[in-house]
């Protein structure tokens, strides 16, 4: 589906001398002292462009710290005064929007648990009609690109053009090394569908663990994301929410310093020539891969026909196991990653089964 979002780039509403844009601050504003001390230490690193702090916290279970509420906005406003940095917080309903605007919050964001709910997103959008403020939209908890785009569209229809997306990873049944599976292809697809939309990565919520923050941040930059939102706290282990994933302002400064910012392209002539030769080779190989795949599927169709004539089931587990084993061994010997070969084979096999099912169940044409 074509999207016709009217957007203003992040460089026009959060101008920075250097790339990437860095937004940092505690998961939650806990006390006035903690909010302001964290903000001052972050500002002192000279590495951040906006301050974040959660005021209303959507917690999984009741009884956990649910945020300071409206008084916290004044702490954030004081932090802005002390540091001169723009401030941002999460809003989930019209009352939050009203209070945040009144307190002079510069940028709003919609959290992952709100993006999943079109009623809530619409309420936020309606409450922003006629207001000129930037809004960042976190990906929904579940990997549903349409829902993410839908939230951006609702805000855009309400007149919000200063929009950015925040990639914070996706909840997954399979427990991997991350709190939220990055599923980078979701952001790549979002950028492909809406190229003018800037995407910020939130490595803290992807990682759930402070040791993985640099790695994820670098990966995000290598995918040409416009910025990072990283949680930072003066005393991370004592934080009232998301303690494990927060870093001190000093560590935040080091993480940002260690990032390698690469260019999307280079003006260097020999770089361009070499790149275009390599790309031609890739194009050629992709053509070959596609045509081999098409030939393979044609053979699957013949096999389906043959099995049908002989009344044999489509799936023969032994054969499938043998394919997996031999191909994975072969792939490994060729330097291919085992998990990659396995995924690729599964995709090919599923398609082959689909084709054979089609052949099997095709009703003979009546004469
Ligand atoms: C947060 O930024 O602290 C937060 C609650 O994030 P998310 O909506 O990504 O879970
Ligand atoms: Mn958090």
């Amino acid at each position: 589906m074509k999207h016709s979002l009217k957007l203003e780039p992040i460089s026009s509403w959060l101008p920075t001398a250097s790339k990437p844009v860095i937004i940092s601050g505690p998961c939650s504003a806990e006390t006035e002292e903690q909010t302001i001390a964290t903000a001052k230490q972050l500002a002192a690193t000279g590495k951040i462009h906006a301050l974040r702090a959660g005021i209303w916290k959507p917690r999984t279970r009741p009884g956990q710290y649910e945020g300071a509420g409206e008084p916290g906005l004044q702490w954030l406003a004081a932090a802005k005064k002390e540091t001169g940095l723009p401030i941002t917080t999460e809003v989930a309903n019209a009352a939050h929007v009203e209070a945040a605007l009144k307190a002079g919050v510069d940028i709003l964001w919609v959290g992952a648990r709100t993006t999943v709910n079109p009623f809530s997103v619409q309420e936020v959008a309606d409450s922003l009609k006629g207001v000129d403020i930037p809004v960042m939209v976190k990906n929904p908890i579940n990997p549903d690109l349409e829902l993410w785009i839908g939230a951006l569209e609702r805000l855009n229809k309400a007149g919000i053009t200063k929009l950015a997306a925040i990639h914070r990873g996706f909840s997954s049944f399979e427990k991997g090394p991350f709190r939220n599976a990055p599923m980078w292809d979701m952001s790549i697809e979002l950028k492909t569908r809406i190229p003018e939309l800037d995407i910020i990565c939130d490595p803290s919520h992807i990682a759930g663990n402070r040791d993985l923050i640099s790695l994820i941040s670098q990966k995000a930059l290598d995918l040409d994301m416009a910025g990072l939102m990283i949680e930072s706290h003066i005393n991370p282990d004592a934080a009232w929410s998301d303690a494990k994933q927060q870093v001190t302002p000093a560590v935040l400064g080091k993480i940002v310093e260690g990032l390698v910012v690469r260019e999307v392209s280079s003006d260097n002539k020999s770089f361009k020539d070499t790149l275009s030769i390599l790309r031609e080779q890739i194009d050629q190989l992709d053509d070959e891969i596609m045509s081999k795949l098409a030939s393979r599927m044609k053979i699957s169709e013949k096999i389906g026909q043959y099995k049908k004539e002989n009344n044999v089931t489509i799936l023969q587990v032994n054969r499938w196991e043998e394919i997996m084993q031999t191909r994975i061994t072969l792939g490994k010997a060729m330097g291919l990653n085992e998990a990659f070969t396995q995924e690729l084979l599964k995709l090919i096999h599923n398609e082959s089964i689909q084709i054979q099912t089609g052949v099997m169940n095709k009703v003979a044409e009546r004469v």
Side-chain angles (χ1 to χ4, degrees):
M1 207 167 80
K2 189 94 191 84
H3 304 280
S4 49
L5 296 187
K6 189 175 169 292
L7 297 169
E8 293 177 65
I10 201 166
S11 55
S12 73
W13 48 267
L14 188 53
T16 59
S18 59
K19 281 205 304 183
V21 170
I22 306 290
I23 303 169
S24 187
C27 175
S28 306
E30 297 163 3
T31 64
E32 182 163 18
E33 296 68 40
Q34 168 256 3
T35 307
I36 295 175
T38 308
K40 279 168 122 177
Q41 289 186 19
L42 281 169
T45 66
K47 304 267 183 236
I48 82 157
H49 308 108
L51 276 173
R52 65 148 280 157
I55 297 294
W56 299 279
K57 300 303 298 176
R59 306 311 301 273
T60 305
R61 305 280 303 270
Q64 297 173 314
Y65 180 58
E66 293 189 334
E70 284 196 37
L73 287 171
Q74 293 316 313
W75 311 337
L76 202 48
K80 171 179 169 175
K81 224 167 158 192
E82 288 275 346
T83 61
L85 290 166
I87 51 175
T88 179
T89 199
E90 173 178 351
V91 289
N93 59 38
H96 294 167
V97 170
E98 195 190 331
L101 294 178
K102 215 167 101 198
V105 173
D106 302 282
I107 303 165
L108 304 176
W109 90 74
V110 173
R113 291 164 188 78
T114 305
T115 308
V116 285
N117 185 343
F119 288 139
S120 303
V121 175
Q122 195 58 52
E123 181 181 326
V124 169
D126 289 343
S127 68
L128 283 170
K129 277 201 180 119
V131 182
D132 181 21
I133 190 166
V135 182
M136 306 183 289
V137 180
K138 287 204 172 192
N139 65 256
I141 295 272
N142 54 323
D144 183 341
L145 187 60
E146 298 304 321
L147 211 44
W148 200 0
I149 294 176
L152 290 157
E153 283 176 331
R154 285 176 198 279
L155 287 155
N156 202 226
K157 272 190 203 297
I160 301 294
T161 48
K162 293 169 179 152
L163 280 171
I166 302 181
H167 180 131
R168 50 78 77 199
F170 301 86
S171 183
S172 159
F173 181 67
E174 278 173 46
K175 284 286 157 249
F178 304 113
R179 175 178 175 190
N180 290 294
M183 304 179 91
W184 297 108
D185 48 327
M186 296 290 293
S187 294
I188 294 170
E189 180 65 19
L190 180 65
K191 192 74 186 163
T192 311
R193 302 251 303 255
I194 316 174
E196 351 42 286
L197 179 70
D198 285 311
I199 307 180
I200 289 170
C201 180
D202 172 346
S204 308
H205 288 88
I206 291 178
N209 159 359
R210 59 183 74 110
D211 299 335
L212 295 169
I213 292 174
S214 325
L215 186 125
I216 299 167
S217 301
Q218 186 61 54
K219 169 90 181 180
L221 296 195
D222 291 342
L223 290 175
D224 194 31
M225 295 207 185
L228 300 167
M229 183 195 254
I230 303 176
E231 288 184 339
S232 176
H233 190 288
I234 31 161
N235 184 3
D237 286 328
W240 297 356
S241 60
D242 288 350
K244 279 197 289 199
Q245 71 194 33
Q246 302 205 58
V247 291
T248 59
V251 169
L252 182 280
K254 289 220 174 69
I255 291 175
V256 176
E257 210 169 284
L259 295 171
V260 182
V261 183
R262 299 181 173 98
E263 293 301 322
V264 178
S265 62
S266 160
D267 289 336
N268 181 312
K269 169 99 174 62
S270 83
F271 169 82
K272 280 189 175 162
D273 289 348
T274 310
L275 189 65
S276 75
I277 293 168
L278 293 172
R279 284 189 169 153
E280 263 169 41
Q281 290 173 355
I282 289 267
D283 290 350
Q284 178 65 34
L285 286 170
D286 281 352
D287 281 358
E288 287 172 28
I289 293 171
M290 300 303 280
S291 85
K292 294 270 186 240
L293 279 174
S295 310
R296 195 186 190 284
M297 294 307 165
K298 282 264 170 305
I299 297 178
S300 289
E301 204 176 321
K302 281 191 194 155
I303 291 182
Q305 189 60 40
Y306 193 62
K307 284 180 181 166
K308 182 180 181 179
E309 284 160 15
N310 291 281
N311 217 13
V312 172
T313 56
I314 294 175
L315 180 70
Q316 273 111 24
V317 177
N318 292 350
R319 165 75 180 148
W320 171 230
E321 278 171 353
E322 180 209 316
I323 289 187
M324 282 290 254
Q325 234 218 317
T326 53
R327 288 5 171 220
I328 285 172
T329 312
L330 187 66
K332 259 195 191 157
M334 293 175 167
L336 290 175
N337 173 299
E338 181 171 343
F340 166 74
T341 312
Q342 207 161 359
E343 282 302 308
L344 181 67
L345 285 173
K346 270 194 219 156
L347 263 181
I348 295 174
H349 187 242
N350 280 346
E351 180 61 12
S352 173
I353 288 197
Q354 286 287 101
I355 289 175
Q356 295 188 33
T357 311
V359 173
M360 280 279 179
N361 299 318
K362 198 165 160 195
V363 182
E365 276 170 46
R366 282 164 212 268
V367 187

